[in-house]
Amino acid sequence: MTNISRSSFTDEIEQAEPQREFSMPHFIYFKGDEDSDRYLKHYRSAMILYRNNDDLMCKIFITTLQGEVQDWFYTLLPQSIRNFDEVSLVFTKEYSSYRSIKKKSEHLFDVKKNPKELFHDYVMRFKVEKARIVRCNDSITKAAFQK
């Protein structure tokens, strides 16, 4: 019970007050069953207007965690988090097992049309898979689709 009453944040972060003009952005809450890197990107995007306020970034981040993830945060040592980079680091270390596997352009050769699938549905599925590949090679995309 002592750890719950003692924050993992330093006193400086705990005592920081939000700016008067602060308006809580809309967040997708993190429940622990998704890609932690993707979630941090979502959080940073939502907080883009406040990214220079490290104390606020820390305090608001914790409110976006739910269930066991929020419980996990309270297991961190008291006074152990000094800034948002540290929160991000311990968060990604703890939840890295849910990271999305980065696919390469060659993955598109595995996207095949099912015999009973409509061509339109196949094209849509192919496009979704292509969109998941960062810096997808256009010549490989074309060859995979033609195959």
Side-chain angles (χ1 to χ4, degrees):
M1 193 67 171
T2 305
N3 272 355
I4 292 175
S5 63
R6 291 287 300 162
S7 173
S8 299
F9 294 131
T10 60
D11 288 337
E12 181 180 282
I13 293 172
E14 277 299 319
Q15 294 167 2
E17 294 290 328
Q19 301 163 331
R20 280 188 183 201
E21 64 275 2
F22 176 73
S23 176
M24 182 71 104
H26 174 72
F27 295 105
I28 298 168
Y29 293 95
F30 187 81
K31 298 173 188 151
D33 57 353
E34 59 193 281
D35 185 328
S36 57
D37 289 335
R38 183 177 292 161
Y39 185 74
L40 278 173
K41 287 177 192 171
H42 159 74
Y43 180 78
R44 284 185 174 113
S45 295
M47 291 290 288
I48 194 141
L49 296 176
Y50 309 103
R51 70 173 181 242
N52 292 331
N53 186 333
D54 213 50
D55 298 336
L56 186 63
M57 291 287 289
C58 289
K59 290 171 95 171
I60 299 301
F61 181 73
I62 300 314
T63 69
T64 70
L65 307 178
Q66 287 189 334
E68 291 179 11
V69 184
Q70 196 165 68
D71 294 343
W72 158 80
F73 176 75
Y74 288 104
T75 67
L76 299 175
L77 294 174
Q79 304 275 318
S80 62
I81 304 294
R82 294 183 302 261
N83 55 50
F84 188 69
D85 287 341
E86 289 181 8
V87 171
S88 300
L89 180 65
V90 296
F91 174 73
T92 53
K93 278 185 178 180
E94 184 68 21
Y95 292 97
S96 63
S97 61
Y98 288 101
R99 275 193 186 141
S100 298
I101 296 171
K102 307 282 190 259
K103 295 179 180 177
K104 297 183 179 193
S105 300
E106 291 79 11
H107 162 71
L108 294 175
F109 285 104
D110 296 332
V111 181
K112 298 180 182 354
K113 183 181 173 299
N114 299 320
K116 294 183 179 182
E117 184 177 28
L118 295 174
F119 184 71
H120 176 268
D121 293 341
Y122 165 71
V123 170
M124 295 304 291
R125 193 165 51 85
F126 188 90
K127 284 182 175 182
V128 166
E129 288 299 317
K130 180 186 181 297
R132 291 180 178 162
I133 300 170
V134 178
R135 291 187 287 280
C136 191
N137 182 304
D138 288 337
S139 61
I140 292 175
T141 301
K142 183 180 176 184
F145 186 74
Q146 288 174 339
K147 186 177 185 258

